[in-house]
Amino acid sequence: PICFPVTITKNKYLYSGSTIATTLLVSAYDSQGQRLASTITLTIIGNSMNFSNNLKFITVVTSTVGETNVGVNIIGSGATNITVTTAI
């Protein structure tokens, strides 16, 4: 099994009409807890956020030495989900 934790740099944002640029921290771990370099696609589900490329999806490669930073923009209020997919 592989685990793909995705966290945002702050746990709370106050959206007041202006775009908020922030960062997701993405990693991949194997079943032993070791970091993996893995190509993954992140997809945003919802209308309150997009990636810094103004799209709802982005493909990144995780790092074996630390978290991978992925830029996102908060563009509205409300809940957002992010899915992770990879080829096995």
Side-chain angles (χ1 to χ4, degrees), residues 22-78:
T22 190
T23 305
L24 298 177
L25 306 174
V26 183
S27 298
Y29 295 95
D30 66 15
S31 60
Q32 310 301 310
Q34 300 297 311
R35 286 187 181 274
L36 298 172
S38 182
T39 301
I40 61 173
T41 299
L42 303 171
T43 304
I44 293 174
I45 309 298
N47 295 319
S48 63
M49 185 182 290
N50 59 27
F51 290 104
S52 57
N53 61 4
N54 291 322
L55 296 176
K56 294 288 186 181
F57 63 92
I58 193 167
T59 299
V60 298
V61 178
T62 60
S63 171
T64 59
V65 296
E67 294 165 320
T68 300
N69 295 333
V70 179
V72 292
N73 295 314
I74 298 171
I75 57 171
S77 59

